[in-house]
Amino acid sequence: MDLIKDIDIISVEEAQACDFKTTADENTGKTKKLYIESYGCQMNFSDSEIVASIMKENGFDTTSDFEQADVIFLNTCSIREKAELTVRKRLSQFQKAKKNKPELTIGVLGCMAERLKENLLTEEKIVDVVVGPDAYRDLPNLISAAEDGEKGVNTFLSREETYADIAPVRLNSNGVTAFISIMRGCDNMCSFCVVPFTRGRERSRDPYSIVAEAKDLFENGYKEVTLLGQNVDSYKWSPEENNKARLNKKEEEVTQVVNFANLLEMVARVSPYLRVRFSTSHPKDITDEVLHTIKKYDNICKYIHLPVQSGNSRVLDLMNRTYDREWYLNRVQAIREILGEECGISSDMIAGFCTETEEEHQDTLSLMDIVKYDFSYMFYYSERPGTLAAKKYADDIPLETKKRRLAEIISKQSELSFERNKLDLHQEQLILIEGFSKKSDQQLKGRNSANKVVIIPADQVKKGDYVRVRITEVSQATLFGEVLEVNPVLA
Ligand code: SAM
Ligand code: SF4
């Protein structure tokens, strides 16, 4: 799932589908070629940029054609069953390529590594290396062992690794917007979720390395960074300790603690011309301090991805989200009071979690009506082996019911997206141009502060420009604007 992509209007099938990205062709004269196919969330796509950087240092250029590759990596996702099935299908296709080219090395990286290493390496023998998300520094060793015919595996989950010193190689970049990973792992134990098991304990990355990466991107023409973490509001770092659980235990001994509000401010100060976004915010952790910091800087975008998962307090309790409906609505009220009606809010929703009744499903729809989300990423519950829910609760909602409830949630979101977009009509907004629109090279596509796509005519404007526009037309998914001013002064 792509946390950032605007998939507000989608079918039930699309809502469960898997998005993936592949490496582009790069030829800097290196001897070997690497192909990476990455599934899942933006964190995973960012990890592939770290992997590409490590492999580049070790003699690899990237390719977009797996048949040209010496090494193929599948960077995998386990978040829903569909993601795992897709990866398995893809592996069997790569196996065919290996029949014609036996020296080809095939590796499975990321979230599926730990759970499937036995099957993939020893039983089915379909891959050469299996490497978990905290062991990418070991890739060059494992690859050379594999070239000598030895299967390589490292799924060790670290308590400290943040790859802070590795400058990611930007893959699939538009040259304007980039993602910066600020933390790894997750200490929450949402009962439906595999992330704590596949990505380990929560660690925060050195804020000075984050600011240095943001500065470097800005100096190279980028105009927007998105700070990424499973729960960014929980970010907490000190020079003595970057592991959240340990840091909290040592609270008295540590100095110069940097929290998420502090980090946001440090990145916002890089330049008023560098926009700052962040994802994901957790309703239990988002503070008024963070909201006031967002308000204080024009270049921190007024958009919060605040996944609710369910609108019913009993279901939220079963999900172990550690907040209830009232708490969530109170946080939304704080956003509205501090950042105003125009701040974009989006959510993730899970339909048909264990034992969810029809009335409880209605609570999700009614909460959506109250919050009026700009868009949402919507899924039906998919039981994941090893999670708390898989151990404790029966996955007892029939698939047809899950799909019907999801369709109702999607239809509600379509109405709300349109309703929210209509509020933008005739407004003046600042957008950052990301490139041509999907439909025509006569039109450019930008985003406003609230993360909505705005389409404008392409005359006299180019990628990377800031443009002040007036919104002239809106649909459920998109805004259309006329140009008022190109590259205004931003103080
Ligand atoms: N850390 C983020 C948070 O707490 O909101 C979410 C991370 S998760 C990669 C993205 C989304 O996938 C979740 O918010 C949830 O809606 C969905 N998801 C996770 N596990 C799921 C499951 N077992 N079945 C269906 N959807 C799931
Ligand atoms: Fe998963 Fe919950 Fe952590 Fe998000 S906060 S990654 S849903 S355990």
Side-chain angles (χ1 to χ4, degrees):
M1 192 221 47
D2 184 341
L3 289 177
I4 311 300
K5 198 180 69 159
D6 52 326
I7 52 165
D8 42 335
I9 315 294
I10 48 177
S11 68
V12 172
E13 278 68 33
E14 279 175 291
Q16 296 296 124
C18 293
D19 196 21
F20 72 93
K21 290 187 180 171
T22 63
T23 36
D25 292 309
E26 190 197 35
N27 199 346
T28 63
K30 300 227 159 82
T31 48
K32 291 190 258 178
K33 291 275 181 207
L34 166 70
Y35 172 85
I36 315 180
E37 197 164 292
S38 321
Y39 288 82
C41 64
Q42 192 56 55
M43 290 294 289
N44 240 19
F45 299 147
S46 283
D47 275 8
S48 291
E49 298 188 336
I50 290 168
V51 169
S53 174
I54 293 169
M55 295 296 284
K56 202 173 168 176
E57 289 291 304
N58 285 275
F60 285 83
D61 274 333
T62 52
T63 172
S64 61
D65 176 5
F66 74 82
E67 297 196 338
Q68 302 297 318
D70 300 285
V71 172
I72 296 178
F73 285 148
L74 263 186
N75 192 358
T76 59
C77 169
S78 308
I79 205 84
R80 284 170 292 278
E81 192 182 9
K82 170 87 185 164
E84 278 193 14
L85 295 176
T86 311
V87 163
R88 283 188 162 273
K89 208 160 120 199
R90 206 60 186 135
L91 274 177
S92 65
Q93 285 159 353
F94 295 150
Q95 272 306 106
K96 287 190 195 129
K98 193 167 166 121
K99 287 219 170 83
N100 304 327
K101 193 176 177 184
E103 69 281 14
L104 177 67
T105 303
I106 301 178
V108 165
L109 314 181
C111 291
M112 269 172 66
E114 172 59 31
R115 208 169 73 74
L116 295 184
K117 65 181 178 207
E118 298 295 318
N119 295 14
L120 297 176
L121 275 175
T122 46
E123 288 167 28
E124 300 170 35
K125 297 192 176 44
I126 51 179
V127 298
D128 307 294
V129 292
V130 175
V131 186
D134 287 342
Y136 296 146
R137 287 181 202 269
D138 203 16
L139 275 169
N141 297 332
L142 296 169
I143 293 291
S144 61
E147 282 166 359
D148 296 337
E150 229 177 87
K151 299 268 178 199
V153 54
N154 187 344
T155 56
F156 174 73
L157 286 174
S158 159
R159 285 175 180 255
E160 297 88 20
E161 178 65 274
T162 60
Y163 301 108
D165 57 315
I166 293 181
V169 168
R170 302 291 159 188
L171 303 170
N172 313 105
S173 167
N174 58 13
V176 179
T177 60
F179 294 90
I180 301 183
S181 178
I182 64 162
M183 56 209 292
R184 298 183 72 80
C186 183
D187 280 355
N188 297 323
M189 276 289 180
C190 300
S191 61
F192 52 80
C193 184
V194 287
V195 169
F197 305 97
T198 59
R199 301 188 75 93
R201 300 307 297 263
E202 184 180 314
R203 298 136 267 170
S204 296
R205 177 178 166 191
D206 180 337
Y208 304 99
S209 77
I210 296 170
V211 171
E213 190 172 327
K215 274 191 183 146
D216 185 61
L217 284 163
F218 185 63
E219 279 157 17
N220 283 293
Y222 285 81
K223 299 278 180 63
E224 181 181 296
V225 292
T226 301
L227 308 180
L228 282 182
Q230 295 298 350
N231 177 1
V232 290
D233 302 285
S234 172
Y235 178 92
K236 202 168 182 185
W237 179 92
S238 87
E240 292 85 10
E241 185 59 70
N242 75 355
N243 176 289
K244 179 76 181 282
R246 286 198 216 138
L247 207 163
N248 282 344
K249 274 193 205 137
K250 295 186 197 162
E251 195 83 73
E252 316 265 281
E253 300 155 42
V254 293
T255 59
Q256 304 165 51
V257 173
V258 178
N259 68 14
F260 184 57
N262 308 142
L263 176 71
L264 260 185
E265 185 145 22
M266 288 163 74
V267 180
R269 284 190 179 156
V270 168
S271 165
Y273 292 88
L274 182 71
R275 273 185 166 183
V276 186
R277 297 189 185 277
F278 51 90
S279 189
T280 298
S281 299
H282 195 295
K284 85 173 155 60
D285 291 313
I286 190 166
T287 59
D288 288 359
E289 187 193 5
V290 165
L291 300 178
H292 285 293
T293 308
I294 300 171
K295 185 184 167 82
K296 186 170 160 195
Y297 290 91
D298 286 345
N299 59 328
I300 303 184
C301 290
K302 309 300 178 261
Y303 164 61
I304 298 176
H305 182 57
L306 194 69
V308 68
Q309 315 296 358
S310 163
N312 176 270
S313 295
R314 188 190 74 90
V315 176
L316 286 170
D317 188 41
L318 287 187
M319 287 177 164
N320 200 25
R321 288 290 287 181
T322 68
Y323 55 83
D324 60 12
R325 180 183 170 101
E326 284 62 43
W327 173 277
Y328 186 89
L329 289 174
N330 172 289
R331 291 290 75 211
V332 170
Q333 201 182 338
I335 294 171
R336 291 284 171 239
E337 278 167 14
I338 297 168
L339 295 170
E341 205 46 50
E342 64 276 20
C343 179
I345 305 182
S346 60
S347 184
D348 293 350
M349 239 79 72
I350 300 180
F353 186 65
C354 315
T355 74
E356 183 191 64
T357 65
E358 220 41 59
E359 291 70 38
E360 289 166 339
H361 162 62
Q362 290 299 325
D363 284 345
T364 298
L365 297 175
S366 75
L367 180 128
M368 292 174 75
D369 269 329
I370 298 171
V371 180
K372 298 201 189 304
Y373 293 111
D374 292 271
F375 45 90
S376 292
Y377 304 101
M378 299 158 283
F379 316 99
Y380 58 76
Y381 175 57
S382 157
E383 186 179 84
R384 307 310 298 128
T387 56
L388 296 184
K391 287 182 193 148
K392 278 167 73 178
Y393 314 121
D395 179 12
D396 57 353
I397 308 296
L399 184 59
E400 282 317 303
T401 310
K402 286 181 184 174
K403 285 191 172 176
R404 195 250 308 144
R405 289 182 190 170
L406 175 59
E408 287 171 12
I409 290 173
I410 290 172
S411 150
K412 169 68 69 190
Q413 185 54 58
S414 305
E415 282 167 32
L416 293 174
S417 295
F418 198 26
E419 194 181 320
R420 286 284 298 170
N421 285 356
K422 282 187 205 155
L423 297 178
D424 289 316
L425 205 54
H426 311 306
Q427 301 285 329
E428 270 186 41
Q429 299 182 344
L430 184 71
I431 65 170
L432 172 63
I433 305 299
E434 294 177 6
F436 288 107
S437 85
K438 271 186 220 139
K439 291 198 182 133
S440 153
D441 60 6
Q442 303 299 308
Q443 292 179 322
L444 289 165
K445 172 184 106 157
R447 262 172 219 273
N448 67 12
S449 181
N451 205 33
K452 293 185 192 173
V453 173
V454 182
I455 304 291
I456 60 164
D459 332 324
Q460 319 216 342
V461 179
K462 59 183 186 319
K463 191 161 88 166
D465 283 344
Y466 281 103
V467 184
R468 207 169 284 289
V469 298
R470 188 189 315 283
I471 304 301
T472 51
E473 202 187 321
V474 302
S475 72
Q476 278 179 357
T478 319
L479 311 180
F480 298 85
E482 63 184 7
V483 177
L484 301 178
E485 188 184 3
V486 182
N487 289 322
V489 174
L490 307 174

